[in-house]
Amino acid sequence: MSKEIDYRKIRQALATLAPAPAHQADTPPEISDIFAPRGHEGALDPERILVVGGRGVGKSFWSGALLDDDTRAFVSKCYPRLGLDSCRVALGYSGTDLIENGPPSQEMLDDLVEKDGFKPEIIWRAVVLHCLRAYTDTKLPAKWRGKSGLVAWAAEDAERLQGTLRAADQRLVEHGLRLIIVFDALDRLGDNWVQIRERSKGLMRVALAFRAYKAIKPKIFMRVDQAEDKFLVNFPDASKLIGAKVDLTWERKDLFGLLFSLLANHSSAGVPFQQLIDACLGKKPDTEKRNGLPIELMDNEQKQMDVFTQMAGQYMGSDPRRGKTYTWVHNHLADAFGLVSPRSFLEAFRAAAERGDQVVNKLLDPKGLQYGLQVASELRVTQLREEYGWIGAALEPLADLRVPCEERALFDRWQEKNTIIEIERSAKKEGFLEPVEFTSDGGDLLRSLLDAMRRIGVAELRADGRVNVPDIYRVAAKLLRMGGVKPRR
Amino acid sequence: MSDILRFDESLASFLKALLPILGKELVQTGWILRDSSGRLAFVAAKALSDSVRTQASEKIKLDLPYYSRGDDSILDIDQPGIHGLIKSAHVFVETVYPDNHRGDDEKIDIQLIDHRIVGHDWLTQPATGWQPPAPARIVFASLKGGVGRSTALAVLATELARQGRKVLAIDLDLEAPGIGTMLIDEDKKPKFGVLDWYVERGVGGVGMDDREFLLDMIAPSPFGRGKGLIDVAPAVGSASDSYPANVLAKIARAYLELPQEDGQPLSFLQQTQMLIDQLSALKHYDAILIDARAGLNESTAAALLGLGADVLLFGVDTPQTFASYRYLLAHLARFKRDKDVDWLYRLRMVHAKASADEARQAAFRDRTYAVFSEFLYRDRALYDENGVPLLDQETGNPITTEEFGLNDATGPHYAWPILANSNFTEFDPLSEGSLLTQSLYEQTFAGLIGCIDELLSVQRGAA
């Protein structure tokens, strides 16, 4: 049976999987790129205001997918319970440059706050108002700034503003519509944490206030470290947003589902891959499919394992104690929260496939998988660096660390390499944000750095107080030590 | 003089006294009124002559010294106010044995009007059940406290959220708040509790569909864990925490009827219906879980009868449980049954703190079966292919089958077990979050979760 399956073709497809570029909220993804795991339903629910996710889980991906009419229609079919087909979507913020009819840019925010003296809350209300232009007859100023601008108009007369908003809300209700207003890339709200915090807090307050409206639905995509920033969530009722948040995560079965669906939908590999699936699950003509994949391959881990075993063998060696291939890859790619980003996952297999030419009767072998882990580690740090510029400096001194270990072991290494100073200096020079924890009270910056690493899942504290750094990051630290992580593409 | 006549014999004796004077037909076409104290009166469907009225009234006063209404014991429909009273009353058909002999030829079916000031809500016919796409409604009820009702609700809410669903948990136990404190931190409670809604409505401070007030009644529970959503409406809100002495003052006012400008005042049950409807409409919830107050008090009636919910009746395996459920089910037997959408199917016993031993669980079901079959299960007739009822050849009586058999898992008596687990006593998941993890609760609550999943899958399919 295995002889009939063209593994080479599938491997080629896998090896040439072009990683999706990091998305921006204002550009929609390709419909063919949209993979819709059940676990992401909450993130797209118009009634769920706050969506929190780590780097690379798809915050901007989904923002973009919601915004575009075609992709939204597709997504609506994937999650029929949400009623997305009767929703319109507008962009409230995405950290990009100013475009016509679009949301304000960071520079515009800076000007509105610093030059015009507006508070973040009224600016955000004006942003919402701007998104409602199509649903109100009231004549509104075209520009943002100045005494005759939209924000001034909003600030001038609170009753008038509320009346306009209510009327627009009512009109949406009459048309049977809801308007989702997406806010993404909040870390680009300002140049430093104080600014970002203030503006984010204002946004959150406004989002809470808007629950009183029936059809205006703010949706805020937020980074993990922001959501846990004590100083961001210390206003009354913040818990109403945080407590109801959606954690945007990929479970292991979602990741395998993604991998399989990419192969199943591939132009040349699709057919042999389907043969592989049939060989494992038995040929069933009428199976329900989702994203081009039989539905049991989306949900059923045992079936996924069967297929993956066919692809890569069952164990990581001749001894079953080396671990199952299905679980090994995910375990070693996981951060301290046990989570893996889609990109890391796919990259591991891509690299493994690249190396796997000599593998027969299978797609991949354990050696290839181990190499894949290494490549994925590198990529992960590069990815993280895009969001947390300090990560390289924090990890490199830890290359020879044996874990779990006492905190002291990390602090000693950081002190030796002057890591804190290095981070503060680079932050200024290269223009990235230092860890949000550096701005907390109590000056122990070494502890703050450890806290920052824990926040984003690069380290974890065990019950006995010792620190653990997951495999994927220790590998990366070693690579960093060896000559730096090369920026990819 | 023999024993004094008390409540339980009063109705039979009343009829025994009346029947010879008024005749069976007049009695059966009329109404027996049991007033708010329990005293009895008869209302005839047509005008009575003075002599008949006097004769009956004298006999009643003699035979029932405490349970007659004296000179007002015999009334007729033409008297002022009587017609309106009859029209607006809940009328139940009651079978009475005037001679206290339970032979078939000795009985008489009469129309009984039970007029209560307190406990009136118990007389309301069960509301129509929820149907998809509306969210599922599940009431957690028990006759005694401490059986794990609120704990089970917390576990179910957590499990549903783990599955990605959106749940609203409402605490109707105004006097012994439960799930509110279990599922939300003290400092994160919403401003107003359910208690406040009744009180503020009472003075007209909360309008119909007052979205802002309603939003101030709910707060999310951390046990949503970033996946599904658990919104909690606790009995008592943070505003009460600043004025704790006011809680009792509010409770004293929460159960009052709400006078309306036009029409009848709204009963506690009717107000509760509105509250649940309005909270449920705030978001697209998948399930509304309601913690009812333990016991047979009035507010329990609202939860059990008024909300069209699936009602989980919790009980532990003690004689008390079966004794008290007899009282409840005997009362429920008064209500009409509808062939298609039957309120009986929405009842379900839950065996709380059950032994894992299957034999013990079966023994529990034997006892619940006894109570349900005594009062609620009806025999069903069998029909041939032409729809003609089958008759026994010898006796000519219809051949019947039991509505539910002892081992029929679809019968409400067939209790879903929640296993005894000391980890879940003194339940405080906020300080011990591990209690609400799937691996710990899934075994103990498997009986509940699996069956609720089935119940909700109806809804999922409809979506």
Side-chain angles (χ1 to χ4, degrees):
Chain A
M1 197 62 195
S2 332
K3 291 196 185 71
E4 296 171 12
I5 301 176
D6 192 346
Y7 288 105
R8 182 165 278 244
K9 252 211 185 116
I10 308 177
R11 196 184 304 126
Q12 259 172 0
L14 195 47
T16 51
L17 265 184
H23 289 89
Q24 300 256 64
D26 57 353
T27 26
E30 295 292 325
I31 288 188
S32 52
D33 282 343
I34 299 179
F35 179 75
R38 258 201 248 281
H40 285 198
E41 191 180 29
L44 296 167
D45 187 339
E47 290 179 348
R48 306 292 293 271
I49 300 177
L50 186 62
V51 181
V52 178
R55 179 73 185 157
V57 297
K59 298 188 292 293
S60 301
F61 179 92
W62 284 125
S63 297
L66 281 173
L67 270 156
D68 177 82
D69 291 334
D70 292 328
T71 49
R72 185 174 64 251
F74 179 78
V75 172
S76 175
K77 290 205 197 71
C78 297
Y79 303 108
R81 292 199 304 181
L82 298 180
L84 284 173
D85 49 348
S86 62
C87 287
R88 300 288 173 265
V89 183
L91 190 54
Y93 190 77
S94 69
T96 47
D97 290 334
L98 204 57
I99 44 168
E100 190 145 0
N101 294 328
S105 62
Q106 189 192 324
E107 289 72 31
M108 178 60 71
L109 281 185
D110 288 338
D111 285 347
L112 284 164
V113 172
E114 280 144 35
K115 295 199 182 130
D116 289 350
F118 289 117
K119 288 217 146 58
E121 277 186 56
I122 193 62
I123 299 175
W124 291 121
R125 280 179 207 271
V127 168
V128 172
L129 186 59
H130 171 72
C131 295
L132 288 165
R133 280 185 196 271
Y135 304 98
T136 179
D137 294 326
T138 312
K139 208 159 183 324
L140 299 169
K143 287 187 181 308
W144 293 103
R145 288 200 54 207
K147 288 206 181 67
S148 54
L150 187 64
V151 186
W153 188 96
E156 208 168 51
D157 187 341
E159 248 188 81
R160 176 179 63 180
L161 174 64
Q162 220 187 55
T164 311
L165 289 170
R166 275 199 200 285
D169 187 47
Q170 190 52 36
R171 184 175 295 187
L172 283 164
V173 171
E174 280 159 17
H175 286 105
L177 295 174
R178 289 178 291 177
L179 178 69
I180 304 175
I181 306 181
V182 173
F183 299 87
D184 189 32
L186 299 193
D187 49 298
R188 283 184 248 156
L189 281 174
D191 294 319
N192 58 62
W193 279 112
V194 175
Q195 272 183 350
I196 293 174
R197 263 187 198 133
E198 217 192 295
R199 296 170 190 185
S200 302
K201 211 187 266 201
L203 176 58
M204 287 169 72
R205 286 192 144 112
V206 169
L208 273 173
F210 269 81
R211 288 177 311 149
Y213 294 96
K214 296 203 181 129
I216 304 173
K217 303 285 176 191
K219 183 174 278 295
I220 304 174
F221 286 93
M222 193 183 270
R223 273 165 39 164
V224 172
D225 57 345
Q226 270 198 296
E228 302 201 7
D229 176 8
K230 287 193 288 297
F231 294 95
L232 180 62
V233 299
N234 64 352
F235 63 93
D237 283 354
S239 57
K240 289 201 174 175
L241 272 189
I242 300 288
K245 71 179 164 120
V246 181
D247 281 332
L248 188 56
T249 55
W250 289 76
E251 286 182 44
R252 183 178 59 199
K253 66 176 185 215
D254 298 330
L255 293 164
F256 273 104
L258 173 64
L259 175 67
F260 293 161
S261 85
L262 286 173
L263 292 175
N265 291 319
H266 195 272
S267 47
S268 56
V271 170
F273 188 66
Q274 186 60 49
Q275 287 176 330
L276 193 156
I277 294 176
D278 292 340
C280 293
L281 306 181
K283 202 172 171 72
K284 287 171 217 159
D286 290 321
T287 26
E288 190 192 332
K289 286 198 176 175
R290 199 180 148 95
N291 275 114
L293 213 61
I295 206 159
E296 46 184 358
L297 278 186
M298 295 270 291
D299 286 329
N300 188 324
E301 292 199 83
Q302 184 57 53
K303 296 271 179 346
Q304 287 186 337
M305 203 184 306
D306 290 342
V307 171
F308 193 68
T309 299
Q310 187 78 15
M311 287 166 71
Q314 196 172 15
Y315 297 109
M316 286 300 286
S318 45
D319 187 346
R321 292 178 195 83
R322 307 286 308 272
K324 290 205 171 106
T325 52
Y326 179 78
T327 50
W328 188 91
V329 177
H330 187 270
N331 282 346
H332 285 88
L333 285 174
D335 64 11
F337 303 123
L339 299 173
V340 180
S341 81
R343 216 163 139 205
S344 303
F345 192 76
L346 295 177
E347 180 65 13
F349 293 112
R350 191 203 61 75
E354 213 174 41
R355 265 277 188 93
D357 267 345
Q358 54 286 75
V359 177
V360 283
N361 287 340
K362 281 190 301 189
L363 223 59
L364 309 163
D365 67 357
K367 248 204 164 85
L369 292 175
Q370 280 161 335
Y371 174 70
L373 168 66
Q374 193 180 316
V375 173
S377 299
E378 264 185 281
L379 175 70
R380 181 59 181 167
V381 174
T382 309
Q383 225 191 6
L384 280 180
R385 206 180 237 165
E386 287 162 23
E387 210 157 86
Y388 310 104
W390 45 268
I391 192 78
L395 269 180
E396 208 229 295
L398 307 179
D400 63 343
L401 203 63
R402 300 188 74 80
V403 290
C405 61
E406 303 292 331
E407 307 183 319
R408 200 68 255 156
L410 278 85
F411 295 163
D412 287 343
R413 282 168 178 74
W414 285 334
Q415 265 175 330
E416 202 186 330
K417 299 279 180 177
N418 289 317
T419 303
I420 303 291
I421 296 172
E422 171 68 34
I423 290 176
E424 285 175 328
R425 210 177 36 133
S426 314
K428 280 200 187 65
K429 199 172 100 173
E430 292 164 41
F432 60 77
L433 292 164
E434 80 272 24
V436 64
E437 285 80 359
F438 277 19
T439 61
S440 324
D441 295 327
D444 185 354
L445 291 179
L446 289 172
R447 169 140 297 120
S448 294
L449 184 57
L450 176 58
D451 282 345
M453 284 178 49
R454 287 171 57 204
R455 202 75 71 201
I456 59 172
V458 175
E460 62 166 336
L461 213 56
R462 308 296 298 182
D464 59 3
R466 289 190 297 168
V467 178
N468 182 39
V469 176
D471 224 32
I472 181 176
Y473 298 115
R474 284 186 294 125
V475 172
K478 290 194 174 68
L479 295 172
L480 281 168
R481 172 70 61 88
M482 275 169 31
V485 172
K486 297 177 276 299
R488 279 184 169 269
R489 291 171 254 276
Chain B
M1 203 45 202
S2 54
D3 309 63
I4 297 175
L5 209 66
R6 302 294 182 188
F7 190 101
D8 287 312
E9 284 100 37
S10 59
L11 189 55
S13 297
F14 189 75
L15 287 166
K16 185 171 179 184
L18 280 186
L19 279 166
I21 301 173
L22 299 178
K24 198 168 183 185
E25 204 208 309
L26 192 59
V27 169
Q28 285 198 299
T29 54
W31 300 267
I32 311 289
L33 175 67
R34 176 174 258 153
D35 76 8
S36 51
S37 306
R39 295 200 191 88
L40 297 167
F42 174 72
V43 178
K46 59 180 190 198
L48 294 169
S49 71
D50 281 340
S51 65
V52 169
R53 191 198 300 275
T54 315
Q55 190 190 2
S57 169
E58 290 305 310
K59 179 79 164 110
I60 292 297
K61 277 198 279 192
L62 187 64
D63 285 2
L64 287 79
Y66 299 107
Y67 279 94
S68 79
R69 284 169 63 91
D71 290 323
D72 282 329
S73 300
I74 308 294
L75 309 158
D76 67 52
I77 198 103
D78 288 339
Q79 282 176 262
I82 300 299
H83 186 81
L85 178 77
I86 302 291
K87 249 192 101 176
S88 63
H90 293 287
V91 181
F92 293 99
V93 173
E94 190 106 340
T95 303
V96 188
Y97 297 88
D99 274 320
N100 280 316
H101 296 135
R102 300 217 152 205
D104 260 347
D105 47 339
E106 310 269 359
K107 69 177 182 189
I108 177 172
D109 287 340
I110 51 114
Q111 300 185 99
L112 177 68
I113 295 173
D114 193 321
H115 186 234
R116 311 174 184 185
I117 293 177
V118 178
H120 189 79
D121 285 344
W122 277 110
L123 301 177
T124 320
Q125 175 80 16
T128 317
W130 68 271
Q131 297 273 20
R137 288 184 176 191
I138 307 175
V139 163
F140 291 68
S142 67
L143 296 184
K144 267 204 92 83
V147 294
R149 212 177 57 242
S150 307
T151 302
L153 193 157
V155 168
L156 186 65
T158 302
E159 171 58 19
L160 291 176
R162 192 194 66 79
Q163 296 172 11
R165 296 181 196 258
K166 299 197 295 207
V167 174
L168 173 61
I170 305 176
D171 191 356
L172 283 186
D173 193 342
L174 302 183
E175 289 165 41
I179 49 157
T181 45
M182 233 182 230
L183 291 174
I184 339 179
D185 285 302
E186 268 301 294
D187 56 342
K188 302 221 165 82
K189 283 204 293 202
K191 186 162 174 210
F192 299 120
V194 169
L195 184 59
D196 293 295
W197 186 86
Y198 290 103
V199 172
E200 299 299 328
R201 288 273 301 160
V203 297
V206 171
M208 288 293 292
D209 205 16
D210 190 327
R211 198 175 166 83
E212 289 209 35
F213 191 90
L214 293 169
L215 285 170
D216 269 333
M217 286 174 70
I218 58 175
S221 167
F223 297 111
R225 294 206 174 109
K227 213 165 168 205
L229 177 67
I230 304 174
D231 271 341
V232 183
V236 175
S238 63
S240 292
D241 291 337
S242 317
Y243 300 92
N246 282 351
V247 171
L248 277 170
K250 290 178 186 174
I251 289 175
R253 288 157 174 90
Y255 296 109
L256 298 173
E257 286 185 332
L258 192 61
Q260 298 285 93
E261 265 182 23
D262 44 318
Q264 299 269 37
L266 292 177
S267 66
F268 182 80
L269 185 147
Q270 288 168 314
Q271 294 172 62
T272 306
Q273 284 175 329
M274 288 168 62
L275 171 65
I276 305 304
D277 286 346
Q278 287 178 25
L279 283 173
S280 305
L282 282 176
K283 297 184 194 172
H284 286 95
Y285 292 109
D286 293 303
I288 317 289
L289 307 181
I290 298 150
D291 202 0
R293 192 173 147 209
L296 288 169
N297 65 87
E298 189 154 7
S299 66
T300 309
L304 258 55
L305 301 174
L307 305 179
D310 280 85
V311 179
L312 301 178
L313 299 166
F314 282 63
V316 290
D317 195 350
T318 62
Q320 269 177 328
T321 301
F322 308 108
S324 36
Y325 273 112
R326 277 192 87 231
Y327 308 144
L328 175 64
L329 297 190
H331 171 71
L332 294 180
R334 288 200 168 101
F335 295 120
K336 289 191 280 271
R337 300 268 304 274
D338 189 317
K339 255 182 242 157
D340 291 320
V341 192
D342 200 331
W343 55 264
L344 178 62
Y345 294 123
R346 279 183 277 116
L347 296 180
R348 172 69 49 183
M349 287 299 304
V350 173
H351 183 177
K353 303 188 184 180
S355 158
D357 181 5
E358 173 57 34
R360 301 264 301 269
Q361 291 179 14
F364 185 86
R365 295 196 294 263
D366 286 348
R367 308 256 255 296
T368 55
Y369 184 80
V371 187
F372 273 83
S373 58
E374 185 183 350
F375 296 108
L376 292 179
Y377 290 171
R378 310 248 165 97
D379 287 340
R380 279 182 322 158
L382 292 176
Y383 299 91
D384 67 13
E385 62 270 13
N386 296 316
V388 177
L390 294 175
L391 299 174
D392 183 282
Q393 301 289 31
E394 279 186 23
T395 63
N397 291 331
I399 300 182
T400 58
T401 181
E402 307 167 311
E403 187 170 10
F404 294 105
L406 192 51
N407 293 317
D408 188 348
T410 62
H413 74 281
Y414 200 97
W416 296 342
I418 294 178
L419 302 181
N421 184 338
S422 52
N423 285 314
F424 288 99
T425 52
E426 296 183 340
F427 189 59
D428 185 6
L430 288 166
S431 47
E432 256 200 83
S434 58
L435 286 174
L436 272 182
T437 44
Q438 191 191 11
S439 48
L440 193 65
Y441 65 61
E442 74 181 336
Q443 269 250 306
T444 305
F445 291 88
L448 181 69
I449 292 173
C451 297
I452 298 282
D453 264 346
E454 280 238 23
L455 196 63
L456 294 183
S457 67
V458 169
Q459 190 196 54
R460 205 193 303 158

